[in-house]
Each structure stands twice: as structure tokens, then as C-alpha cells.
Amino acid sequence: MNRPADNPAFPVQLREAAADWWHNERPTWIYVFKMVFAALLALGIGYALDLQSPRSALITVFIVMQPQSGMILAKSFYRVIGTLIGSAVVVVFVGLFAQTPELFLIASALWIGLCTVGSAHNRNFRSYGFVLSGYTVALIGLPAALNPGTTFDSVTTRVTEITVGIACAGLVSALVFPQASAPGLVRVIRGRFTAFVDLIGATLGGTADRQQLEATNARFVGDIIGLEALRSSAIFEDPEIRLRSGRLSRMNSEFMALSTRVHALHQLLNRLHANPAPGAAIVIDALSPYFREVQPLLTRGSGEPVMSAVDAADAGLKLEEYKRELPRRVRATRDRLPADSDSVMLDFDTASELLYRVIDDLHAYTLTYASLNQRRHEREQWDHAYTAKTSMTTALIAGARAAVTLLLLSAFWILSGWPSGDVAALNAAAFCAITSAAPDPAKATRTVAIGVVFAAIAGYVYTFHLLPRIDGYWMLAAMLAPVLMLAVLLTTKPRWAGYGLGICIFFPFLAVPDNFAHFNAAGYINEAIALLVSLIVTAVAFMLLLPPTTDWTVRVLERQLRKQVVDACFGKLAHLALKFESGTRDLMHQITMLTSSRPALRQSAFGWTFATLEIGHAIIELRTELNGIRSEQPDLLPPTAHAALNRLRETIPALFASPTPATLADALAANDHAIEQVQQSIGPHYRERSERHRLQRTLSYLHFIRTALLDPQSPLQPMRTGTDSTHPTPSRARHAT
């Protein structure tokens, strides 16, 4: 029998295993060692500076820890801002309410609730700044209210401890095996461009079904938000990223507009394929050659898809030439269509207009991608940032929940005289704010609570059996390192991250001694129980006080989503398209997070998402076109046409505010009437090409809105009771060619 060493395949397997570990596990272990080293460094500096509680510096390292140094710097920046604001509020509250603890607690609860609202209403690490503003009031304010004379010392000590932790985390992350955010940013950009090329090929080639398109768009939403998060973090660490920050924001905006156009074109093609009328087949046959020509424009000479910014420059030149020739070619194709069919002309004009807009947006997106290859470029001039959209209702509920939880535990603390009641109150308030943005905050809090149980048991062993036997900082660091490494390692595993976070934060809180160490078993047990009780109460609050995981919350977000169409109809046109795109996708992302385990609910919400995107975007383009007509050619449309279009702007918002068969019938009737009025304006008489094209464009937007309202896969479909399922195209006036 051969031994493993005699097997020639064994060395090969060993090398493969080592290579696999090097590429996959090595970054994780580097991260673990870096964070533990930074934490112990902060602890040592805290002892050396004779800070009151050096463990706060250590805990700060774990709170701000992130894989990339840019993320650490961004989170640290907002942590400092939040701490400074919270410290200022502490001084004000103690000055006003030092003699009345009840009023102090009420004011603190209101402040924490307000900060939680701000946290739920913001994105990225700005949200964390709001959390810290509230958490600092609880952490410093409650002890300071009991001893007002120590308020200033408590505030300065707290700020110093946090600053030490932040400095250590930032320096170690930046200097010891630094892992920058920029490479991840490049991977996201390249991966998204490649995936989008594939999507265009599948969409225009007719091989993508609705479910595949929905899944791809949901992934793109995550990419959009992820890219914005990476960009906002990377600008803290990389001057090259700062020089390109405007172009990265621009790419996100252009990508959102482009993906909406592609989705709209795909949906129109689906409706044409599903239409049994012979005119639909004529339109598809006429446009299919153009669709097949798009994907080759986005491939290199070798046949591989465009990936780098250098490749994108070549693709931009091909798209520019294609876009320049497209209108002439489309007019020639249109002249060969049957001129006596209104439906054929409407479908062709709408589809060809969408195709041109797809090419135009794709050209702009490709040029911006290509410009990233240069340090400075004119496309950097872009100040329209991604606009998050959060339901104020859910944000107010999160704030009220945090305030109520703090008030209840504070009342119990005062009435019971529990020595560690302040610890329970401040910790519960903090976790209500921190976990309110999680998809399932009750579950997240429960996992942290389990980590606290482990931290309490391990901390007791350390405090009362190991600490008395050691001497000096180095022995303390060696003793703490194994547990801290285990905790950080757990945070890198999504399934165990909550347990690891509980150990990272609460094991040092319980086990690491202050400069003046106290060995009080009763006090230790009280604090451990207080921490556990605070998390249990927080989890119960999330389960009982309007839990965010209920179907009701998703319905609230759905209503907020539909309201985007109302904003599209009446909002100011300046930057409206970008606000609409980013807001709709932000709400879609929130719904995706909340419905991960409820596919039926997600499917319904996605239906409203895509109906909102299609109709809302078409409304904005229609308004933009009409605004240009009013300012440049006010006599192009008669007053009756403007009145019909204004009526449409009234019925569409009413439909999305209250979707019923009656509001759908009103919207369809108004849309049909608007189409007839614009058709009459075009007329059979002679018009300049620019005038005719402008009117045909207006007609195309109206026709697309109509097809979206009649989409059999739309969530509006069940409301079409009593209406004709075919709902023929208005033909009161012949659509002239």
C-alpha cells in the first residue's frame, strides 16, 4: 500500500490546496490579524495615556472595522462627527435637566428617536453618523446626569478614547497590508459593463424572458447602490478616485437611465410578440436587423466583450457612427411599411424611438466609462448625486420604537433602582438605532444576544480567573488575542457575523479592565444581565412595535414606489429624471431586502417597480418634450391637445395613488384622447421634418404609456374588469407617414 507521500498526485493536491488558501483565505486572515493588532494597539495607547476606560478605544476599532481602508476612513469620519454632535447635545441636556432626571430621560429619548429617524432616512455611513449622535447622548449623558460635575471630563475622555481607536484602525488598515477600495470599484465597473452587454444581446435578441430581466435588474440595483457606497468610501483614501468621483457618479446615473430604456424596449417587444395582429409581426421584422447590430458594437475585434476603459473608447466611436446613421436608415425602413395602418406606424415609431434612445444613452455611458482612463476629463463636471429614497413613515416608526424602548427601560431603571439599569437603557437605545436598517432587525438582535451570552461567560472566566494571575499589558494582550481573533473571524462569515459582532463589542466591555481595575462579581453579573436584557427587549420591540418585516411595511414601500409616478407628473423637471431613477431603485432595493424569504410578495412588488419605471420615465420624457414645444414652437399643438395632455397628467397620478378599475379606465380614456389630439395635429398636410419628428416623438411616448397600461403582465391587469382586453389603437385621425 502506497503512503500518501509516495503518491505523485499528493504534492500536486497539496500545492492546489495551498494556492486555494492563498487566494481565498489569506485575505481573511490578514484582515483578522490587522483588526486585532489595531485593537490591542489602541488598548495599549489608552493605558499609556492613562485614559479612564481604554477598552472604549479597543471597542471603537471593532465598531469601525471594514475590509477596505477607505471604508474605515469613511466610517471613522462620520463616527467622529456623530460623537462631537452627541457630546455637544449632552452638555446642553445636562445643563438644562441636571436636577430633573425624568426630563433628561425624556429629552434623551426624543433626541435618540430623532437620530434614529435620520439614520433610517440616510444611506451608507452617513446613517452611522446619526446613530452615533444619539448613542453618545445615551452613553455619556446617562452617567453624566447622575454626576453633573463630571460632564465635561466625561465628554473629553469619550472623544479622546474614540479618537485613539479611530487613529489606530485607520493607520493599521492603511499601512499594514493595505487593501484599497479602488480595485473593488474597478471590478464592479467592469463586471457591470460586461453583464450589461450580455443583457442587451439577450434583450434585443429576444432570448431574455421577464423573470430573467427582473432578476438581472434586481442585481443591477445592488450594483448601483454598491458602486455608490464604494465611491463614497474610496474618495477618502485614493486621490485618483477623487479626481474621477464626478464621472463615477455620472456613470451610475447614465447606467440607471440606460437600464430603464432597455427594459422599456424589451417590454414593448414582448407586447408585440404577444400581439396576434399581423401588424405586430411586420414591426418586429422591420426592426429585428437593427437589434442584431447592437451587440457587435460592444465587442472587441477578437469577439470578446468590452471590459476596460481603453476598449470602451473604441466602442464609443462605433456607437457614435451607428447613432449618426440610424435616423436615416430608420426613415428608409419606415417608408416601406404599409402607410394605411395606424397601429403599425405607432408601434414602429415607438419602438424605433426607444431604440434610438437606447443607443444614445449607451453611447453616453460608454464615453464616460472610456473617460476614466484619463486623470482629468470634461465629463467630470457632474454634480447630480445619487438620491436615496426612504419612506418617512418607516423612518418615523423606527425613531418612535427607539424612543419608546429607552423610556420603558429608563422607567424600569428608576422605579426598580437596578444598579445597571442605565447600561440596559443606553444599550437598548443604541441597538434599536443600529439594527433598524437591517432586513430582519429582530433576528439580527437575537444573534448578537447569543454572542453576548458567550462574551459574558468568557469574560467572567477572564476577569475572575485569569486577570488576577497576569501582570502587565503584554500578558493581557496575549491573553485577549485568541478570543478577539475568533470574534473577528466570525464577523467575516455572513452566517455567523451577528455572533462575532456581539463578542467583538461586549467581550472587551466586560473583560477588559479599566485603568483602575475593579473585581466585583456582583457588579459584573449585573452588567452582563443588563446587556442581555437590553438586547432581549430590543428584539421584542422589533417584533411587537410595528415590526419592519411585516407585509404592511412592504405595502408602505409599494405606496411610496407608486408615488414616484405622481412626482414624475408634477415635480420640477430640473434633474427630475435622475431623482426619479435613483429614488425608484432605492425603494426597489429596500423591498428586495425585506422580501428575500417571501417570493410571492417580492414578485408583486417587482411588478409595481417596473410599471413605475416604465410609465414614470415615459411621463418625464413626455413632459420634457412638451416643455420644449411650449418654449420653442408654442403653436405646434392646439389648445385642445394641451388640454388632453393635461388631463392625462391628472389621471395617471390618480391611478397610481389609488389603483382601481375606475382610475385605470379614466387613465386609458385620457391617454386615447391625447393620442387622437396629437394625431390630428400631425395631420395629412405638409410639415417640416423637425416639426413632424417632434410630434411623432410625443405620440410615441403616449403610445408607450398606453401599451404599459395594457400590459397583461402588469399589476394593473386585474383591474381591467369590464374593459375591452384588446383596447384598439385610436384611429380617429390617420397617422401620416
Side-chain angles (χ1 to χ4, degrees), residues 350-406:
T350 303
S352 59
E353 180 65 29
L354 276 174
L355 174 62
Y356 181 82
R357 292 304 181 96
V358 166
I359 299 300
D360 188 39
D361 288 345
L362 183 58
H363 180 230
Y365 177 58
T366 305
L367 289 180
T368 305
Y369 184 22
S371 73
L372 295 178
N373 198 43
Q374 302 177 34
R375 297 186 80 244
R376 302 187 185 277
H377 196 277
E378 60 183 6
R379 300 185 78 84
E380 181 67 23
Q381 304 305 314
W382 184 262
D383 56 357
H384 313 315
Y386 179 91
T387 305
K389 190 79 172 183
T390 308
S391 169
M392 185 54 71
T393 301
T394 57
L396 289 172
I397 289 172
R401 187 188 298 115
V404 168
T405 303
L406 175 59

Side-chain angles (χ1 to χ4, degrees), residues 76-191:
S76 299
F77 172 78
Y78 288 110
R79 179 172 175 81
V80 170
I81 297 297
T83 301
L84 291 176
I85 293 174
S87 300
V89 173
V90 167
V91 174
V92 173
F93 282 4
V94 170
L96 293 174
F97 309 117
Q99 306 302 320
T100 51
E102 295 81 4
L103 290 178
F104 179 87
L105 290 171
I106 292 173
S108 298
L110 292 175
W111 174 256
I112 288 172
L114 182 63
C115 290
T116 304
V117 171
S119 172
H121 202 63
N122 280 270
R123 288 291 177 272
N124 300 332
F125 295 129
R126 288 191 301 272
S127 171
Y128 185 64
F130 280 95
V131 170
L132 260 295
S133 295
Y135 176 68
T136 301
V137 170
L139 185 65
I140 304 177
L142 293 183
L146 300 176
N147 299 284
T150 65
T151 299
F152 182 77
D153 291 340
S154 298
V155 167
T156 54
T157 300
R158 172 69 177 167
V159 172
T160 302
E161 291 163 354
I162 288 176
T163 303
V164 169
I166 287 173
C168 290
L171 287 173
V172 171
S173 178
L175 299 179
V176 180
F177 297 108
Q179 186 175 355
S181 304
L185 199 61
V186 172
R187 284 195 298 272
V188 170
I189 292 171
R190 286 187 174 182

